[in-house]
Amino acid sequence: MSSFTLWVDGYVQEKRQIRILDGNGIDYDIDVGWHMVKQNSKMIENGKYISKICLGAVQCSNEGYTAYKIDIRPKSTLALIKKQLKAVCVRCHSLSLEHIGCLARVNFKFEGFHCTMIHQHNHTYKAYDLIHAPRMALARFREHMLQHPAEEPLGLIAGTSPISQTALVSVDNIHPYFSHQGRVKYHRGSVLQATGQKSSGLKSDENAFS
Ligand SMILES: [Zn+2]
Ligand SMILES: [Zn+2]
């Protein structure tokens, strides 16, 4: 599946609606699943244009180790990446991390109530693990959770309900980020807490934030 909230490569175009907030603001959800840095922006007729370039990846250059050339998520700015490179590789414990630049870019064109996102060029590395769920995926997870507040993390991931004995949609289908039990536990706890719901007399939820 190719989606900006997962990983896109080469030429990909996606159009998103802008969300009108309860007040009178508007919310530009232009979240993508990896780090980019702003390169350019300008006002255009009826809107705005922003271009961003991919921040690439960090790799271990220590040949002979299993982590050799495995892509690590870079920090969110060039200055932070510089710092990141000064730390030892967590796998081989040597100062062997290097930054891999990337030519991939995304152009965002905001016009009226939508934003067109155009991804161009290929990444110079493979997709790395996401550490945050994209906002759209979190919103869908929240909706799903509120429909099934009694389900526990394992049931949510497996897509079967030990409570109601019915089949659910696995949260893994919302986004692969949610295939991890610890993450589901954490986000489930956050949703329940935010809505003031308890897990209706089921097993204690106290560990949800661990
Ligand atoms: Zn290493
Ligand atoms: Zn890239």
Side-chain angles (χ1 to χ4, degrees):
M1 184 165 69
S2 181
S3 154
F4 274 90
T5 58
L6 285 169
W7 178 251
V8 293
D9 208 15
Y11 186 91
V12 180
Q13 188 174 329
E14 190 176 309
K15 203 170 186 175
R16 286 190 184 174
Q17 292 293 317
I18 286 169
R19 207 158 58 95
I20 313 280
L21 300 174
D22 289 345
N24 44 18
I26 47 175
D27 183 22
Y28 296 98
D29 181 6
I30 55 167
D31 202 12
V32 298
W34 67 97
H35 284 319
M36 290 185 298
V37 65
K38 187 150 106 178
Q39 196 190 32
N40 220 321
S41 75
K42 63 179 180 198
M43 302 309 287
I44 51 168
E45 207 186 337
N46 304 323
K48 194 176 182 180
Y49 169 90
I50 298 174
S51 72
K52 294 188 176 191
I53 51 170
C54 177
L55 271 175
V58 169
Q59 291 180 348
C60 172
S61 60
N62 200 353
E63 272 182 83
Y65 280 83
T66 47
Y68 180 59
K69 296 289 185 201
I70 284 183
D71 298 309
I72 303 167
R73 188 183 178 87
K75 297 288 182 190
S76 56
T77 65
L78 285 170
L80 287 173
I81 291 171
K82 250 186 170 173
K83 263 192 175 170
Q84 187 179 12
L85 300 183
K86 285 179 184 158
V88 295
C89 166
V90 294
R91 294 180 174 102
C92 70
H93 307 288
S94 61
L95 281 167
S96 54
L97 297 178
E98 56 183 26
H99 183 216
I100 309 297
C102 189
L103 292 173
R105 60 187 300 126
V106 180
N107 297 331
F108 303 85
K109 202 170 162 192
F110 300 94
E111 285 173 302
F113 291 102
H114 55 253
C115 171
T116 308
M117 297 154 73
I118 297 174
H119 183 277
Q120 286 169 296
H121 306 299
N122 294 99
H123 291 282
T124 46
Y125 57 92
K126 299 243 165 55
Y128 37 74
D129 250 9
L130 291 180
I131 49 168
H132 299 296
R135 278 166 58 186
M136 287 205 301
L138 266 182
R140 286 183 57 200
F141 176 83
R142 190 173 180 279
E143 246 172 61
H144 183 77
M145 264 293 316
L146 293 178
Q147 282 163 18
H148 312 282
E151 292 310 325
E152 299 207 47
L154 271 180
L156 289 168
I157 295 171
T160 51
S161 169
I163 315 294
S164 58
Q165 302 291 321
T166 52
L168 303 172
V169 174
S170 165
V171 288
D172 187 15
N173 285 347
I174 293 174
H175 194 283
Y177 174 86
F178 295 114
S179 59
H180 186 281
Q181 199 190 343
R183 291 170 179 170
V184 171
K185 214 172 171 181
Y186 172 78
H187 287 292
R188 175 179 180 273
S190 304
V191 172
L192 290 179
Q193 201 193 41
T195 55
Q197 294 189 56
K198 290 265 183 283
S199 48
S200 55
L202 291 164
K203 209 173 69 189
S204 163
D205 211 24
E206 272 164 18
N207 297 324
F209 299 96
S210 60

